[in-house]
Amino acid sequence: MRVPLCLLLLVAHAADMLPLNRRKKQVGTGLGGNCTGCVICSEENGCSTCQQKLFLFIRREGIRQYGKCVHDCPPGYFGVRGQEVNRCKKCGATCESCFSQDFCIQCKRRFYLYKGKCLPTCPPGTAAQQSTQECQERNPSQKKGRRDRRPRKDRKLDRKLDMRPGRPGLQPC
């Protein structure tokens, strides 16, 4: 009995796809929560491997940890894409949210954001904005006790020029 070549190719393709289908069947709901987007999931630990474009977020509770596949990392974490796994990593200790380990977007209470860093006090030349928790550059007019920042000799020269004969304003006696 001769089997048509199309049928053999179809059976071979189905056998080739079988391991991929079996891996996807491992996806289920574990104690750690929803396993949506997982490639490998266990009932005890949740996801351990995610689909290609998702991030693996590992939530720790005491000595246990649970994995979850997410599109965006939660506040306090940032996404790092890798060759094998995309992971959510924790922001620095003073950051509420961040773009990377070294660049904060929003600071925790009692810290002020300045050039991507969270500082306990604003650096000189800046002022703390309590409503936004940011350090903002001060305008020269905002600086206390300094009306005119030009050197004293330049201000004296301006006064002499104003006192020249023929100029409106004050004339010498």
Side-chain angles (χ1 to χ4, degrees):
M1 180 173 150
R2 288 189 143 177
V3 179
L5 185 59
C6 314
L7 187 58
L8 280 175
L9 288 173
L10 182 63
V11 170
H13 180 68
D16 191 34
M17 295 301 288
L18 190 58
L20 180 63
N21 289 337
R22 282 193 179 145
R23 272 193 291 167
K24 287 186 179 179
K25 285 184 182 177
Q26 290 177 348
V27 174
T29 304
L31 297 175
N34 187 345
C35 285
T36 303
C38 296
V39 174
I40 299 174
C41 187
S42 75
E43 289 204 19
E44 291 181 1
N45 297 328
C47 297
S48 60
T49 307
C50 297
Q51 293 174 3
Q52 189 175 5
K53 293 184 178 182
L54 301 178
F55 291 98
L56 178 61
F57 171 63
I58 297 177
R59 178 175 45 105
R60 290 181 172 80
E61 291 180 5
I63 60 170
R64 301 208 63 171
Q65 64 182 26
Y66 304 100
K68 184 176 181 181
C69 296
V70 295
H71 289 281
D72 297 306
C73 295
Y77 292 82
F78 64 98
V80 176
R81 296 205 182 270
Q83 288 182 324
E84 308 247 340
V85 178
N86 300 326
R87 294 186 183 275
C88 292
K89 292 187 128 189
K90 197 163 184 57
C91 295
T94 58
C95 283
E96 189 70 37
S97 63
C98 61
F99 181 71
S100 69
Q101 186 70 38
D102 299 321
F103 197 91
C104 294
I105 299 169
Q106 184 179 6
C107 298
K108 290 186 177 179
R109 276 184 55 204
R110 294 191 298 256
F111 290 94
Y112 298 95
L113 184 64
Y114 181 70
K115 296 185 178 181
K117 304 283 183 205
C118 292
L119 308 172
T121 58
C122 290
T126 64
Q129 295 294 323
Q130 298 298 330
S131 60
T132 60
Q133 287 182 261
E134 294 178 358
C135 299
Q136 293 185 343
E137 303 288 331
R138 288 185 182 161
N139 293 334
S141 62
Q142 289 177 318
K143 293 186 180 182
K144 295 178 182 174
R146 300 295 303 257
R147 279 190 358 241
D148 194 346
R149 300 210 28 101
R150 293 178 299 159
R152 178 175 262 159
K153 64 180 181 178
D154 288 347
R155 287 184 290 192
K156 284 183 180 178
L157 181 61
D158 283 349
R159 280 191 217 119
K160 284 182 183 177
L161 290 173
D162 285 340
M163 301 298 263
R164 288 183 306 186
R167 294 243 343 174
L170 296 175
Q171 298 292 325
C173 300

